[in-house]
Amino acid sequence: MKKYLNPKELPSLPVDGKKEKKEKKTSKSDSFFKTVFKIARTIPRGRVTSYGAIADASGLKLTGRMVGWAMNAAGSAKPAVPAHRVVNSKGELSGRSHFATPTLMQELLEQEGVVVKADKVQDFKTVFWDPANPSEKSRKKKK
C-alpha cells in the first residue's frame, strides 16, 4: 500500500509565520518538487510518460495524483518543466485544463510529432517513455 504525503507538509503559505516551520516545510516539499521536475525534464522530445511512471521512478513514496499536483505547479519552475509530456496511464491529456488554453497541451505535443485525437495520445505504447529505464532504446517509429 502506498503511503501518501501529508498535504499540510507540502508548499503553502506559512500558517503561523514562524521561520523555523516554514523552512522545514519548504525543504521537504522542495525535495518532492525537485525530484518530480528533474524526472519530467528528462522526458525526450516527442515522447510522453505517465504520472504513475514518474511516481514509481522517483524512489519516493508518491502516487500519480501527487505527481499531477506537482505538474500543476510546474508552470513557474526554473528551468522550464515540459509538463505537456506527462499524461495519465491511458494516454489521455488529463492535465489539459491546467494549461493557459484548453488546447495548448495538445498543440505542444503535436509540435513534437505526437499525434493526439480526442484528447488522447495515439499509439501511446509506442511513444511512451519509461523514466525507470531512461537508457532504453527509443521505441518511437522513424518517419
Side-chain angles (χ1 to χ4, degrees):
M1 176 182 259
K2 288 194 176 187
K3 220 176 186 183
Y4 293 83
L5 288 177
N6 183 346
K8 292 180 181 177
E9 294 176 356
L10 297 175
S12 64
L13 295 173
V15 177
D16 57 7
K18 290 184 181 176
K19 191 175 181 180
E20 187 177 310
K21 282 190 176 185
K22 182 181 176 187
E23 287 175 6
K24 189 175 184 180
K25 287 181 184 179
T26 303
S27 65
K28 211 174 210 183
S29 61
D30 276 355
S31 175
F32 161 66
F33 274 77
K34 284 179 182 177
T35 300
V36 170
F37 293 168
K38 182 179 179 181
I39 293 169
R41 286 184 185 110
T42 63
I43 304 167
R45 186 174 170 79
R47 303 293 296 275
V48 297
T49 195
S50 68
Y51 301 104
I54 291 176
D56 291 344
S58 73
L60 303 173
K61 294 184 184 224
L62 298 179
T63 64
R65 285 182 189 251
M66 293 170 70
V67 171
W69 188 71
M71 288 293 101
N72 188 33
S76 60
K78 301 285 187 224
V81 176
H84 64 284
R85 297 179 188 155
V86 184
V87 298
N88 73 15
S89 62
K90 298 175 187 174
E92 298 168 342
L93 310 187
S94 56
R96 70 188 173 280
S97 64
H98 299 285
F99 283 78
T101 65
T103 59
L104 182 58
M105 185 176 187
Q106 178 174 340
E107 292 166 9
L108 292 169
L109 286 170
E110 288 174 342
Q111 286 174 5
E112 296 182 0
V114 177
V115 179
V116 178
K117 289 183 183 168
D119 294 324
K120 188 170 183 176
V121 173
Q122 300 300 293
D123 209 11
F124 179 60
K125 289 182 180 178
T126 302
V127 296
F128 179 80
W129 180 78
D130 186 359
N133 297 312
S135 61
E136 180 182 309
K137 295 277 185 195
S138 173
R139 291 183 288 172
K140 190 171 181 185
K141 295 175 185 173
K142 301 282 181 188
K143 291 185 179 183

